[in-house]
């Protein structure tokens, strides 16, 4: 973390978990243990249908509500999709874009990710852009090249003033939901390469202002060590964000002096 230049953001990604009633119950439970606001910004990205319920339940808890996906077209005949304007109208500030599960199961490509990034930025919200390598890519030794390409494609056409609103989440695919975490050094190295890629595109001042998260089995036990890396400015957390006690411990780790 480097709080001098950029914000620390702890975000949960609930994926396809939690009904509306479970969301309310989670809010009641976390209310009892939620720490006072300090440095880190906290949010939970929830299934689209539960955004209104979550916004109400987390309103006075210092937890913002984010979305897990969006469609890039403004409106029209796209059955089942949700537009950026619809999310914006629900007071959503953050939208996860290009999660590896969406790339793997729903055919998202670097091109659709780029279109979604523009849609989210044009609506005045912040995209959390996910990038990450497979185990095979890591073992082949092409992690940094692969991720630089994903970052450059996602940010294609994004001007510097809008880049300040973007968050990049480094999520090695082999570490998602597997209980296998990248070591702090591995994660820190890729995150600092992501910053170097941004620096090569936008210059040093802009690059140092961008929040880069790590995601992939981040939990209450490994959060402090991962967040101690200078280029890891937060976490995108799946499983551990579904359990109030675990999520709060990760927030506490991000709030350490
Ligand atoms: P886990 O924390 O469950 O590994 O999920 C990470 C993730 O995919 C967050 O977007």
């Amino acid at each position: 973390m480097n709080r001098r230049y950029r914000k620390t953001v702890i975000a949960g990604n609930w994926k396809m978990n939690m009904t509306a009633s479970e969301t309310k119950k989670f809010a009641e439970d976390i209310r009892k243990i939620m720490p006072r606001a300090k440095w880190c910004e906290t949010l939970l990205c929830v299934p689209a249908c539960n955004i209104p319920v979550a916004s109400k339940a987390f309103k006075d808890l210092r937890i913002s509500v984010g979305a897990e996906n969006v469609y890039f077209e403004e409106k029209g005949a796209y059955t089942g999709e949700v537009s950026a304007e619809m999310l914006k109208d629900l007071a959503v500030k953050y939208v996860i874009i290009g999660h590896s599960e969406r790339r793997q199961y729903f055919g998202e490509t670097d091109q659709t990710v780029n279109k979604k990034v523009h849609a989210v930025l044009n609506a005045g919200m912040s995209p959390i852009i996910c990038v990450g390598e497979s185990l095979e890519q890591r073992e082949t030794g092409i992690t940094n090249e692969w991720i630089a390409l994903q970052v450059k494609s996602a940010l294609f056409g994004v001007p510097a003033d809008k880049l300040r609103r973007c968050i990049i989440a480094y999520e090695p695919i082999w570490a998602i939901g597997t209980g296998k975490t990248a070591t702090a050094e591995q994660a820190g190295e890729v995150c600092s390469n992501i910053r170097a890629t941004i620096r090569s595109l936008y210059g040093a001042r802009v690059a140092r202002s961008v929040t880069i998260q790590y995601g992939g089995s981040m939990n209450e036990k490994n959060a402090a060590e991962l967040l101690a890396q200078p280029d890891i400015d937060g976490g995108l957390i799946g499983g551990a964000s579904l359990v109030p006690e675990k999520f709060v411990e990760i927030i506490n780790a991000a709030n350490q002096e």
Side-chain angles (χ1 to χ4, degrees):
M1 293 182 284
N2 185 333
R3 297 193 188 104
R4 184 152 161 230
Y5 295 121
R6 44 195 180 256
K7 32 180 202 186
T8 306
V9 181
I10 296 296
N13 172 9
W14 275 5
K15 309 191 179 184
M16 199 173 73
N17 293 296
M18 297 285 209
T19 61
S21 344
E22 286 164 347
T23 303
K24 288 188 207 157
K25 170 80 169 62
F26 180 97
E28 278 168 30
D29 291 346
I30 204 167
R31 179 178 300 279
K32 298 169 200 148
I33 51 173
M34 188 68 190
R36 284 180 169 278
K38 260 189 153 177
W39 294 286
C40 103
E41 197 174 322
T42 306
L43 63 133
L44 283 168
C45 299
V46 306
C49 59
N50 290 335
I51 290 172
V53 160
S55 299
K56 199 165 165 222
F58 298 140
K59 199 168 168 222
D60 52 355
L61 277 173
R62 302 173 297 281
I63 299 176
S64 310
V65 175
E68 299 177 12
N69 182 33
V70 67
Y71 194 52
F72 50 78
E73 294 290 353
E74 271 177 36
K75 59 162 78 171
Y78 304 103
T79 303
E81 293 298 318
V82 171
S83 75
E85 214 42 56
M86 291 170 187
L87 296 175
K88 169 86 176 167
D89 196 49
L90 294 175
V92 165
K93 291 204 195 81
Y94 291 95
V95 186
I96 298 174
I97 304 287
H99 192 281
S100 61
E101 287 150 17
R102 297 221 49 95
R103 295 180 193 251
Q104 187 182 348
Y105 304 129
F106 303 100
E108 297 230 355
T109 63
D110 285 341
Q111 283 70 36
T112 58
V113 167
N114 178 249
K115 285 184 179 185
K116 291 182 176 196
V117 167
H118 282 283
V120 167
L121 288 170
N122 289 340
M125 300 180 290
S126 292
I128 300 178
I129 303 163
C130 300
V131 296
E133 82 287 6
S134 65
L135 189 56
E136 194 186 1
Q137 288 165 329
R138 173 158 285 270
E139 285 171 350
T140 317
I142 58 165
T143 297
N144 285 325
E145 286 89 340
W146 175 258
I147 284 168
L149 185 65
Q150 284 187 318
V151 170
K152 287 180 186 172
S153 311
L155 297 178
F156 185 73
V158 173
D161 60 320
K162 285 189 175 158
L163 183 77
R164 291 174 195 279
R165 263 194 278 136
C166 298
I167 293 181
I168 310 286
Y170 167 52
E171 301 210 307
I173 298 169
W174 48 273
I176 294 177
T178 54
K180 251 193 227 169
T181 325
T183 64
E185 290 70 30
Q186 281 174 326
E189 189 201 330
V190 177
C191 290
S192 83
N193 277 311
I194 291 173
R195 199 175 307 287
T197 301
I198 298 173
R199 196 179 303 124
S200 73
L201 296 171
Y202 295 91
R205 273 178 75 106
V206 176
R208 77 179 182 199
S209 71
V210 175
T211 296
I212 302 177
Q213 298 174 318
Y214 169 78
S217 299
M218 188 189 259
N219 58 37
E220 70 289 1
K221 297 195 184 80
N222 58 28
E225 197 191 351
L226 286 159
L227 293 168
Q229 292 289 318
D231 283 304
I232 300 184
D233 310 307
L236 185 55
I237 299 125
S241 74
L242 296 165
V243 183
E245 292 76 13
K246 294 186 179 180
F247 193 52
V248 162
E249 278 205 48
I250 298 171
I251 298 167
N252 288 337
N255 275 332
Q256 291 299 316
E257 301 284 339

